[in-house]
Each structure stands twice: as structure tokens, then as C-alpha cells.
Amino acid sequence: MSAESIPPPPVRNIAGNSSSFPSPATASSSSTWDRLTAWASNHKAIVYTAGAVAVIVTGAGAVYYFSDSNKGSAAGDAGTSGTGEKRRSKKERRKAKEQAKEQAKASSHDEAEKGLGSSAVEEEPKLPEIDEESVEKLSAEERREYAAKLKAGGNNAYGSKDYNEAIKLYGQAILCRPDPIFYSNRAACYSALGDWDKVVEDTTAAIALDSEYVKALNRRANAYEHLEKYSEALLDYTASCIIEGFSKEQSAQSVERLLKKVAEAKGKAILAAKKKKLPSPTFVTNYLQSFRTKPHPEGLEETAELEDGTGRFHLRACLNAIARKSREGYEEAADACEKALDLDELGDHEALAYNMRGTFRYLRGENDDALSDLTRSIELKPSYTQSYIKRASMHLELGNRDGAAKDFEQATEQNKDDPDIYYHRAQLHFILAEFADAAKDYQKSIDLDRHFIFSHIQLGVTQYKMGSVASSMATFRRCIKNFDRVPDVYNYYGELLLDQQKYHEAIEKFDTAVEMERQTKPLGMNVLPLINKALALFQWKQDFQEAEKLCQKSLIIDPECDIAVATMAQLLLQQGKVTEALKYFERAAELSRTEGEIVNALSYAEATRTQLEVQEKYPQLASRLHGMGSGLGPPGNMR
């Protein structure tokens, strides 16, 4: 395994989640995901149909949303100009005027529903008795008059929690004059009684009469959620968000909740039916080569004479196949270590065989079997620190922080001078945003072995996250001086330059990394520099055509690179190519390895699918949404 390879970079904990933790393996492309998710935050109306609700995906498999609390203020500020406030453009004033009209319309509904849910009960006047036969005899004016009285009576009954009486009165009011408010109020009664099918029926009637009736949409969404029709509920809450101009936090939170439920439900089904297989070569390489290169152990050297078909023969074949850094090589390696253990006769190398089989099982997402293999490896050879480290990575991915910490402690007891222990423990600290501890462990790893480039790279990234930009840049300049032929140095240095919006310098570094990858690893080229360059061109020049070409090139080299697929999806979505974007998001879900990763990808897919449904069912809302998105400028600082 060459030292000129990418380790899994640390997860940047975008949303501050600490309830579940990604392993360093799943973090292999996290810095690129950072730019995607930061772009999502800066382009909310385009990423997700709910405009000011942007889906943000962390490496931990958690989904977050950032709501733009300023969206709803424009209407109230129309025509005013406070001290230091910039004069709004004509487009902004027009938008504010439209929002004011929508709020006025909503207020009219609120006034009409006044009294619904109030505990104060008015003195009830004598109400007319209406049925389908008697209503035909009433004049138009009498119908309006009777409807108003019946509606008031229904409100009183609702306030007294006499829901059945309220349902009867609202029903008679509807006979006099079908009105969306009457249907919505009756739906509120059915909601109080838990009759969710009736709630859907009445709110649907209300929405048919007024397609932008927010209370009816929200009531129907709530009923759909109780009926576990999550996709339908998501669509209604989304429409509500758009109508309200994304100004209501509660609606945004409802979208978040429903989107997560939809993604989780579909994710479980996909995972259950998913065939276990190795992830992309880029992912596998990132994980395997985050450990320092070691020669074949004694007895498995190339010069050692091994009988064909023996366990040792197949174990050496496994190690040789890994060194090819290709999909075919990794598949052969996984098969070879299985055969090695089946044949036995491994002697002192049995612990290594279990370590390797556990590694490939882990990469395929077979967590229980992987843990069992790594534990067996430790039992056979307690001094084998790499097995502790890999098991710690698994514990971390499964959210078992204490288990991961214990494994690192045991590894240190076995060999306190193993630099890999400190490198991977630093990853744990980084994931938990314990940057000072991470920097300390990265430095310890460097002190024990200065020739492992990735400890230097990760130290530079950590310094950057701590706000020590000058120190970080100095670390990367030293890396370039001391490891000038390692492409990963240029790739990660380019990422930090990109984060500072130094686009030209960043692209130069990505180009250098790409050329070195071509020269040094033609069969196992890492595609991340290509993807990073695509993101840089998109952010800098909005050059969609060239960015798409680079992503397509990445997918030719590594067809199952999930980050390349996700980047293509975002680029297409930004251009309004929603149907094409959806296909790529769904493909990303197919490529995902764990349930958390699948839910991440499906969250984007479901958000995109909802946008398509909005366009189909609420065309007037779709056009309004596009208007909101079109006013957005180029991406801001990506962090």
C-alpha cells in the first residue's frame, strides 16, 4: 500500500450534531460534501422546493435544515428605509407587495375562523334547521345569512368541545354556502376526534375551493402524517411553506420532520433489499490507505515459496490484489482472504487474515460479522494494534463513542509508539469537534513518523478549523516542499484555498493534483481533485458545462463514486433540470453503504421529487418558487 494515497479526511460537523458519529471511513469525501452542503445552505430555494428550508447532510447521517428567518419581513418593511438600510430593488419591492397580499389573504381566513378553538362561548342565538330539501327554498341572501349563523354556532360548539354538534352545524352551513373555511373548520372537529380520513376529505374540499388555503393544507398534512402517508404530508407542508414565503418556522420544521420520515422509511426498505458489495474504489482506497504502509509479514514475502491453493497462498494473493488499487483488485482481495480462512493452515498469520476479512466485511456494511472478525483477530494476537483501530472506527460509525475510546486505549497499552493509533484517534477528536485534542494527536503521529503525509495534511486542516489560517497555510506550504510529488497535498491545499474563495489558486492546485494522479496511479486514479475543480468552476464562474464535464469524467473513471454522483445531481438541480437531478440523487442512494448514508441521499431525492410534484399539482406555486430562486446570487463563502 503506497503512502501516496488519500486517508479519510475528517468530517466537518456542519450542523453541530453529536448524537451519532461517522467513522473515518465514511468521511472519505467529507470536505467535498462540505462544499455541497454549504452550497445547499446558500441556495436554499433551488436545493429544496421549500426555498428557505435547505437540506444539509452531515457525515453522521443526520439531516438538518436552515430556515431563512428574514423571508417574511419584507412585507412589513415595504416602503420603509431605516438607518443604514439599503434601498431595495424594484424586484424586492414587488416581492414584498406580493407577500403583503398573501398575508392579507391569510388574515381574512383567520378573521373568518375567529372563535374556532376559543374557550369563550358566546350566547348562542336560535339557529335555523337546514337540510338538503329546505335549503333549496332559500334565497341567495338567506343562504348567506343562515350560513354565517350556522358557522358561528359551530364555532361555539367547537369552543365547548362539543365536536359532533359543531360538525353538524358546519355541515348545515356548507349546505347553505360551500365555503373553504366551513370545510376546514369541520376538519378541525374531525381532527379533535381523531377521524383522520374525514379530515383529509374535508380539507381536500377546502383546498379545491381555495388552493392556497394554508390552514387547510396544514390540517390535511397533519392528517396524512397520522395516516402514515408521509409523502402526501410532505407535499402539503411544502406547499404551505411556499405560500407563506417561508416565513413560518413551524411549517419549515414540519417539512424537516416529514422529509426525514420519508427518507428513513424508504431507506430501511432499500437497505433490506440491498445486495452487500464493496463501495467505490475511491472509498476503499481512502480507507485502506489511511494506515501506514508495511511490508508483507515474514513468510508471505514475494520471495517466499508457497504451495498453490493453501491458506497462506491466498492471503498473500489478498495483499497483492490490494496493492493494485482497483475495483477488480479489491474484489479479488476480498475473495482471497475468505478462501484463506476457509483453508486454514495460516499459523501466525491467522490474525492478519481475520483482520483483512473483517475489513472487507466492514466496507460492505456487514457490521456484525466485521466486528466478530476483528475481535477474533485481537484474541489471536492482542498486540495487533491495527485491529483495535479498525474496530474503533466501527464503534464510532455505530455511535458507540465509549467503545471507540476504549479500543484506542487498549491499542496504546499494546504499543504506545504506533503512530497509526494517534492518527486515527485524532480523527475521532476531529469528528467530535475536539480540535485541540485532534491537533495534539496529529502532532504525536508526526513525531513518531514524519514520513506519513496525511498526518501533516490533517494537522493543517485542523489548524484551519481552529481559526489558525496562517498556521494552516504554513503547514501546507511545508507539505508541498517536503512532499512535492504527492497529489493529495495539492488537492487538500486547494480545498482550503477554495474555502477562502481564492478560486484561481485553488484550481491550479486541483489541476496539479489531477496530473499527478494520472502519472502515478493510472489504474486507480483518485477522482476527488476533478470533483473539487468542478465545484470551484461552479462557484467562481457558474460554469455548469465544464463542471458537468468534469463530473462525467470522474464517473467514467469511477462509476460508483457517490460524491461525483451527488455533485452532478446538485449541478443539474441548480440549472432547474429537476428530473435529471432526481435520477442522480436516487443513484447516490443506491451507491450508499450504510443506512445513514442511504437516508442522506434519499433526503435529497425526496426533496427533489417533491419539487416535481409541486410543479405538477401547484403550477402557480412552482412559478413563484422559481422567482425566489432566480434572485439568488453566486455562492458565498463555502464553509
Side-chain angles (χ1 to χ4, degrees), residues 347-543:
D348 293 340
H349 305 303
E350 190 174 2
L352 172 61
Y354 275 106
N355 175 293
M356 295 312 303
R357 188 173 73 174
T359 299
F360 285 110
R361 284 178 166 178
Y362 164 64
L363 290 168
R364 286 195 295 257
E366 299 168 354
N367 292 333
D368 291 340
D369 290 338
L371 279 173
S372 177
D373 277 349
L374 292 170
T375 299
R376 180 58 179 156
S377 175
I378 291 168
E379 291 170 351
L380 290 166
K381 190 176 180 180
S383 62
Y384 196 2
T385 54
Q386 191 183 100
S387 293
Y388 290 102
I389 296 169
K390 289 180 177 178
R391 192 170 69 177
S393 294
M394 287 204 64
H395 284 314
L396 191 61
E397 182 173 293
L398 297 171
N400 184 1
R401 177 181 176 180
D402 291 340
K406 184 177 180 180
D407 274 337
F408 282 123
E409 182 182 343
Q410 290 179 319
T412 306
E413 290 172 357
Q414 294 296 328
N415 182 3
K416 63 181 177 59
D417 294 325
D418 183 347
D420 277 346
I421 296 173
Y422 303 98
Y423 175 79
H424 286 271
R425 190 172 71 181
Q427 301 285 69
L428 179 150
H429 288 309
F430 196 108
I431 288 166
L432 300 174
E434 299 166 353
F435 299 124
D437 289 333
K440 182 179 178 181
D441 272 348
Y442 285 132
Q443 187 60 58
K444 177 70 172 178
S445 178
I446 291 169
D447 292 342
L448 291 168
D449 176 14
R450 304 193 68 83
H451 302 293
F452 189 61
I453 176 58
F454 305 114
S455 294
H456 297 271
I457 290 175
Q458 300 293 65
L459 176 61
V461 173
T462 303
Q463 290 168 333
Y464 190 85
K465 291 292 288 184
M466 293 173 72
S468 302
V469 177
S471 297
S472 175
M473 295 296 103
T475 297
F476 271 95
R477 285 192 292 271
R478 286 195 299 271
C479 286
I480 289 177
K481 180 180 178 181
N482 297 324
F483 302 92
D484 63 323
R485 300 307 301 165
V486 181
D488 311 284
V489 175
Y490 298 91
N491 179 52
Y492 287 109
Y493 190 25
E495 289 189 0
L496 298 191
L497 291 168
L498 180 56
D499 195 69
Q500 299 170 64
Q501 299 184 41
K502 297 179 179 180
Y503 299 115
H504 184 72
E505 294 177 64
I507 289 174
E508 283 184 345
K509 296 297 182 290
F510 295 142
D511 282 338
T512 300
V514 169
E515 187 56 35
M516 286 184 178
E517 288 283 350
R518 286 174 178 154
Q519 293 175 5
T520 60
K521 294 180 277 185
L523 297 180
M525 177 179 171
N526 175 23
V527 299
L528 289 182
L530 287 170
I531 300 170
N532 280 329
K533 182 178 178 182
L535 289 170
L537 288 170
F538 158 61
Q539 293 176 39
W540 185 19
K541 299 180 178 180
Q542 299 287 288
D543 190 344

Side-chain angles (χ1 to χ4, degrees), residues 21-172:
F21 310 108
S23 82
T26 62
S28 61
S29 303
S30 64
S31 50
T32 307
W33 267 112
D34 269 357
R35 264 178 293 290
L36 285 174
T37 53
W39 169 83
S41 182
N42 285 300
H43 290 77
K44 298 164 183 159
I46 297 175
V47 172
Y48 186 60
T49 182
V53 184
V55 59
I56 302 300
V57 185
T58 75
V63 183
Y64 295 87
Y65 299 80
F66 294 89
S67 298
D68 187 346
S69 60
N70 296 324
K71 288 280 187 181
S73 64
D77 296 337
T80 65
S81 178
T83 303
E85 182 184 349
K86 294 181 179 179
R87 181 175 175 80
R88 289 180 296 176
S89 66
K90 182 177 179 181
K91 185 174 183 178
E92 288 173 324
R93 293 197 300 273
R94 184 171 63 250
K95 178 181 174 182
K97 186 175 180 181
E98 290 174 356
Q99 286 186 330
K101 287 172 64 179
E102 289 164 10
Q103 289 176 359
K105 180 178 179 181
S107 296
S108 69
H109 278 317
D110 290 340
E111 284 299 313
E113 292 191 11
K114 190 175 181 181
L116 183 60
S118 171
S119 59
V121 180
E122 299 175 7
E123 185 177 346
E124 192 172 319
K126 185 175 181 180
L127 298 174
E129 284 292 334
I130 297 295
D131 57 30
E132 292 183 5
E133 183 178 343
S134 62
V135 77
E136 295 295 332
K137 301 174 183 178
L138 299 176
S139 66
E141 181 61 33
E142 287 174 323
R143 289 188 184 194
R144 282 193 295 271
E145 180 185 341
Y146 285 11
K149 291 179 179 179
L150 291 163
K151 181 252 187 184
N155 286 357
N156 283 337
Y158 184 92
S160 300
K161 298 186 179 181
D162 189 351
Y163 301 121
N164 288 316
E165 178 65 15
I167 287 169
K168 171 190 163 187
L169 294 171
Y170 288 134
Q172 291 181 3

Side-chain angles (χ1 to χ4, degrees), residues 278 314 317-318 321 324 327-337 360:
L278 291 176
H314 285 294
C318 167
R324 283 156 44 196
R327 171 166 295 284
E328 294 75 15
Y330 293 138
E331 294 289 354
E332 287 180 23
D335 290 341
C337 67
F360 285 110

